[in-house]
Amino acid sequence: MQGIWTTERIREAEGRLFAVTPEGELMRRASFGLAVRLAEFLAEHTGTVSGRRVVLLVGSGDNGGDALWAGAFLRRRGVAVTAVLLGSRAHEAGLAALRRAGGRVVSAEDGPQWIVRADVVVDGIVGISASGSLRPEAARLVSLVEAPIVAVDLPSGVDPDTGAVDGPAVRATLTVTFGARKPVHVLAPTWCGEVVLVDIGLELGEPSIRQLDIADIAAAWPVPGPEDDKYSQGVVGVAAGSATYPGAAVLTAGSAVRATAGMVRYAGHAADVVRSQWPEVIATGTVADAGRVQAWAVGPGIGTGSEGRDVVRYVLGRGLPVCADADATTIIAKSPEVLDARDPDTPLVLTPHAGEYARLMGAAPGPDRVKAARDAARRYNAVVLLKGYVTVIAAPDGRVAVNKPHGAWLATPGSGDVLSGLIGALLAAGVDPWLAAAAAAHVHSLAGAIAAQNAPTSSSALVHAIPEAIRAVRSLTS
């Protein structure tokens, strides 16, 4: 499990390390690591290092200093380095080191003629202490860049703690960060590109956010043993679909089947359709007739009228883990009294997209999606999986996980229904709800990427790609 730390925690750790480290030592560690990765990047993208042209966009803070020192190291490898100064307070020691090494230093006014000839541009404009978009001068220079951009610590103009972008910003091909991964690196992956970590010796404690490793997901996903049967592997109840939306039932139930649930029991108006598509599913007309289950996935396509409310109230009152998705979240938002049926200790996973979140909380998630998910988790005493390009999963105890996507393939109708079935299957197997939601989100996105290899992704193809996604996760840890 990879840790991610907020900038406040990182600054505190840096302060402790600065107090016991000779002046300038940490910057030299960071900049040497940056220079090594820049040389590798040049070799990968151009075939050589010596003789290539690198332009540094240098701001007034320590990020500019890191870029300047890295430029000095690159000069020793025969790289032509030009520093374009933004502002009048460039890091003095770094600037002197670059000049001693034979690097060129120019003003922002003279920058364009060097930028357009660069093989790689280094973004050393601002660091984690800055916020907001690029200032006009920096934005103008960045707009001229055609070469790959390597960002120092984070792309300038992207908020370090939320990943939000509200104006001109750098879109990097590679980000080289120091000491620890920051929230921006997982919340804004399309702006950061590949992220490489340079260890500078920070002691950080428990992370603020977690990103599950393949090993975590493989360990969480149930594997039947010699003593298992269909009941011991987890029986999941699916309350989804209607006469109007039978597809929601087919997708949710099918996802639970493909996720290796021990047994799937379906309850609802689409029983005949579900049986025809998934003959292994035991299908009945009502939740009261479904029989014994160990968790429920409820909501996709059930409608938000009185019948839907009765279904949600029923499953919440069984004392079993529940994944409430789609119409179930709208019912909870509009009729919060249905939650009275739930024992406060009964595990609940809510899976809203931004619109459903706004209904649940009375306001949109806003730019700080981690805080938004945490707030909802506390209010509802539930695990909240906030959908988006990057999925955020928050538990009531404050734990947060993020799932970086494998592309945007999941932006297709019915995709959320598939996720509900995955989560329901893991809940029925006894997996911790926070871990179940995070692991399901990863397999869900991986299945989307696998399905897209053959054709544009549909939710039906997504369901059928689930076993291959699970095998891929397990094979990487075997």
Side-chain angles (χ1 to χ4, degrees), residues 449-467:
I450 291 169
Q453 292 174 0
N454 299 317
T457 304
S458 68
S459 290
S460 296
L462 183 61
V463 169
H464 290 287
I466 288 169

Side-chain angles (χ1 to χ4, degrees), residues 289-334:
D289 294 334
R292 183 171 64 89
V293 302
Q294 290 155 290
W296 280 98
V298 60
I302 64 171
T304 57
S306 59
E307 185 176 359
R309 287 196 300 274
D310 290 344
V311 168
V312 172
R313 186 182 293 109
Y314 179 88
V315 300
L316 287 172
R318 297 305 95 192
L320 300 168
V322 174
C323 174
D325 179 42
D327 288 341
T329 61
T330 299
I331 288 168
I332 291 169
K334 290 170 58 179

Side-chain angles (χ1 to χ4, degrees), residues 152-191:
V152 180
D153 216 12
L154 78 164
S156 298
V158 184
D159 188 277
D161 279 323
T162 69
V165 177
D166 59 7
V170 170
R171 192 180 294 274
T173 302
L174 169 71
T175 297
V176 181
T177 192
F178 312 117
R181 294 176 186 269
K182 289 81 175 171
V184 61
H185 300 138
V186 291
L187 295 173
T190 60
W191 293 91

Side-chain angles (χ1 to χ4, degrees), residues 93-107:
L95 194 59
L98 179 64
R99 282 180 165 139
R100 286 196 303 271
R104 181 183 292 104
V105 178
V106 302
S107 67

Side-chain angles (χ1 to χ4, degrees), residues 436-454:
H442 181 93
V443 168
H444 186 235
S445 62
L446 182 55
I450 291 169
Q453 292 174 0
N454 299 317

Side-chain angles (χ1 to χ4, degrees), residues 262-352:
M263 181 188 292
V264 179
R265 296 183 184 271
Y266 170 78
H269 292 293
D272 289 340
V273 179
V274 170
R275 271 192 294 261
S276 70
Q277 295 291 318
W278 303 103
E280 58 268 79
V281 174
I282 299 172
T284 56
T286 69
V287 288
D289 294 334
R292 183 171 64 89
V293 302
Q294 290 155 290
W296 280 98
V298 60
I302 64 171
T304 57
S306 59
E307 185 176 359
R309 287 196 300 274
D310 290 344
V311 168
V312 172
R313 186 182 293 109
Y314 179 88
V315 300
L316 287 172
R318 297 305 95 192
L320 300 168
V322 174
C323 174
D325 179 42
D327 288 341
T329 61
T330 299
I331 288 168
I332 291 169
K334 290 170 58 179
S335 305
E337 66 274 9
V338 299
L339 291 170
D340 294 341
R342 174 197 176 203
D343 185 304
D345 293 330
T346 299
L348 174 62
V349 178
L350 300 172
T351 59

Side-chain angles (χ1 to χ4, degrees), residues 3-85:
I4 297 121
W5 287 263
T6 62
T7 55
E8 179 181 5
R9 295 271 299 279
I10 290 168
R11 282 194 288 265
E12 290 171 355
E14 287 176 341
R16 293 191 295 270
L17 191 55
F18 279 134
V20 296
T21 305
E23 184 178 357
E25 175 62 23
L26 291 184
M27 180 172 285
R28 282 189 284 274
R29 288 184 198 173
S31 57
F32 180 74
L34 172 61
V36 169
R37 190 62 191 96
L38 279 166
E40 292 172 350
F41 187 82
L42 277 170
E44 291 165 5
H45 285 263
T46 71
T48 61
V49 176
S50 179
R52 294 300 178 182
R53 296 181 294 269
V54 169
V55 170
L56 316 174
L57 299 180
V58 179
S60 299
D62 285 349
N63 266 43
D66 292 331
L68 289 165
W69 275 105
F73 289 127
L74 287 176
R75 281 293 303 133
R76 299 173 189 173
R77 297 285 303 273
V79 178
V81 179
T82 300
V84 179
L85 302 187

